[in-house]
Amino acid sequence: MDEPLATEFPTLTTDRLLLRAPRESDIDAVYAACQDPEIQRWTVVPSPYRREDAEFFVRDLAPEGRRTGANRIWCVFERGSGTLVGSQALVLRAHDPGSAEIGWWAVKEFRGRGYTTEAARAVSHYGLRGLGLRRLEWQAYVGNEGSRAVAEKAGYRFEGTLRSYAEQRGAFHDAWIASLLAGDVED
């Protein structure tokens, strides 16, 4: 990728959502959201999740990803209320510059409203059109039906199960994988 992509970081909007880079003022909301046992169960966030983890996410992980171009992390907010509803991320792959992995988590109170799907579509469009990637991959531990439903509604095509593939806190789990290709989305 060209060097300008390392510092480029857009704010994305949809009809109901605003996706932007995490800010210092988001630490408390991220900390509160990640107390949810389901977020800890299905993602790689630390468990237990401490305030220091939210500070690291906002102050270090997200800015370093923007600086190096290795990832893009958005906090997702409801446009009307300004309330945090989740997070979305693209993790670019150094070994395959044309692809990235997409991931998300949703605040418990906002699940089932279509917000995560709406945000995933916006981030996917940005990855495939804005960054010019050819392939986005979604992965989730087998059994994470909510994340799978979001991926399918966002247009990702299920490709299979990878055995003993996804690492979480020192243990390996079977993972589902799906993809979205540049030719799968409209401009």
Side-chain angles (χ1 to χ4, degrees):
M1 283 192 203
D2 297 331
E3 186 59 31
L5 293 178
T7 56
E8 175 187 308
F9 192 86
T11 295
L12 306 175
T13 57
T14 69
D15 289 342
R16 302 181 298 165
L17 304 172
L18 172 75
L19 292 77
R20 63 158 171 76
R23 297 179 186 159
E24 189 79 16
S25 59
D26 301 327
I27 290 173
D28 289 338
V30 169
Y31 171 69
C34 290
Q35 296 308 301
D36 179 6
E38 290 300 297
I39 290 176
Q40 293 180 25
R41 176 183 180 191
W42 296 116
T43 72
V44 295
V45 302
S47 180
Y49 195 84
R50 303 164 304 152
R51 188 170 201 292
E52 295 81 28
D53 298 316
E55 291 168 354
F56 173 77
F57 176 78
V58 169
R59 294 177 181 158
D60 299 308
L61 184 66
E64 181 67 8
R66 287 192 305 272
R67 187 185 70 71
T68 65
N71 65 49
R72 311 290 194 281
I73 297 173
W74 290 266
C75 282
V76 181
F77 298 89
E78 192 176 47
R79 285 179 72 179
S81 69
T83 304
L84 179 72
V85 300
S87 179
Q88 294 270 331
L90 283 178
V91 179
L92 285 81
R93 297 181 168 150
H95 68 278
D96 184 1
S99 73
E101 182 177 345
I102 189 169
W104 48 73
W105 53 258
V107 174
K108 180 179 182 177
E109 295 78 15
F110 291 94
R111 293 182 195 139
R113 298 185 189 184
Y115 287 151
T116 307
T117 301
E118 192 173 319
R121 286 180 180 142
V123 169
S124 298
H125 189 270
Y126 167 73
L128 295 170
R129 294 296 185 252
L131 294 178
L133 300 173
R134 73 173 200 301
R135 177 183 171 88
L136 297 177
E137 288 183 1
W138 160 87
Q139 297 174 23
Y141 306 127
V142 169
N144 189 345
E145 297 291 346
S147 187
R148 182 172 176 166
V150 167
E152 290 173 346
K153 289 176 188 172
Y156 284 74
R157 295 185 190 172
F158 186 74
E159 294 181 339
T161 301
L162 304 169
R163 298 182 318 148
S164 188
Y165 184 78
E167 193 270 337
Q168 180 194 46
R169 298 180 204 99
F172 284 86
H173 304 274
D174 292 351
W176 288 324
I177 187 168
S179 68
L180 187 68
L181 305 180
D184 296 339
V185 297
E186 297 177 11
D187 287 329

